[in-house]
Amino acid sequence: MAVKKAKKKAAGKKKAATKKKVAPKKKVAAKKKAAPKKKTVAKKKATKKTVVKKKVAPKKKTAKKKVAKKKAPVRKKTPAKKKKTKRKPNPAFMKPMQPDEALGGVIGNKAMPRTEVTKKLWKYIKKKDLQDPKNKRMINADEKLKPVFGGKSSVNMFEMTKLVNKHLS
């Protein structure tokens, strides 16, 4: 038993010796760290405030969500997609027009809408291969088309419709 007591005393002395060495450092450190301790206290208070805010904030969020749910039915829903119907042509294009003699020699003398006139004219151009092979937008006139194009030998396809409309009444 005496051996155990001696060991305890020796261990106690070591602890005391370490405490003595540590104690002065703590005191010095405590004096230097006095200001930081105040900051940590302030941080703790700030965290307590944030905790309080966090408790309040979820209540506000849930209230906003409820309001949003109430507003959702008020919003108008988009109507169901309608089936696509066939596009109605402009009545002005569907009005029958009478071609004059120059144009009648190419498409016929029967009265027809402008759309049909353009279709028949393009059918004639494709059949006779009158499009320029290098520039497809240009149409080379033959003997029947020259009077329709105003005497020009080649015409742009967009200019062609303008010239053809002069021959319709």
Side-chain angles (χ1 to χ4, degrees):
M1 285 216 177
V3 176
K4 287 182 183 177
K5 287 181 183 179
K7 286 183 180 178
K8 285 182 183 179
K9 284 181 183 180
K13 286 180 183 179
K14 287 180 182 177
K15 285 181 184 177
T18 56
K19 284 182 184 177
K20 287 178 186 176
K21 290 179 183 176
V22 174
K25 288 181 182 177
K26 283 185 180 177
K27 286 179 184 177
V28 173
K31 288 179 183 178
K32 289 180 180 177
K33 292 184 180 178
K37 282 185 180 178
K38 289 180 183 177
K39 288 181 183 176
T40 55
V41 171
K43 286 181 183 176
K44 287 179 184 176
K45 287 181 182 177
T47 55
K48 286 181 183 176
K49 288 180 183 177
T50 55
V51 170
V52 172
K53 287 181 182 176
K54 287 181 183 176
K55 288 179 183 176
V56 175
K59 290 180 184 177
K60 289 181 181 178
K61 287 180 182 176
T62 54
K64 287 181 182 177
K65 287 180 182 175
K66 289 179 184 175
V67 172
K69 287 180 183 175
K70 289 179 184 176
K71 287 183 180 179
V74 176
R75 293 179 185 163
K76 294 180 181 178
K77 293 182 180 179
T78 55
K81 291 184 178 179
K82 296 179 182 178
K83 292 181 180 178
K84 288 186 177 180
T85 58
K86 211 170 191 182
R87 191 175 141 207
K88 294 180 182 177
N90 188 341
F93 287 115
M94 300 312 292
K95 181 181 172 188
M97 303 290 284
Q98 183 66 41
D100 66 354
E101 291 179 19
L103 186 60
V106 178
I107 61 168
N109 290 325
K110 188 178 172 186
M112 61 185 85
R114 290 178 192 214
T115 55
E116 289 296 317
V117 170
T118 307
K119 284 180 186 177
K120 288 194 176 194
L121 193 61
W122 272 107
K123 189 176 180 181
Y124 178 82
I125 291 167
K126 297 279 185 179
K127 182 180 176 183
K128 300 284 184 169
D129 195 31
L130 298 176
Q131 267 185 305
D132 189 18
K134 292 181 181 176
N135 187 0
K136 297 281 185 178
R137 284 186 271 180
M138 297 302 287
I139 292 131
N140 300 324
D142 64 349
E143 292 175 13
K144 288 184 177 179
L145 281 179
K146 246 186 186 173
V148 175
F149 292 164
K152 295 181 181 178
S153 60
S154 66
V155 176
N156 187 336
M157 69 169 61
F158 302 110
E159 188 181 352
M160 177 190 70
T161 55
K162 182 179 173 183
L163 294 170
V164 168
N165 282 333
K166 291 179 182 176
H167 295 277
L168 295 172
S169 57

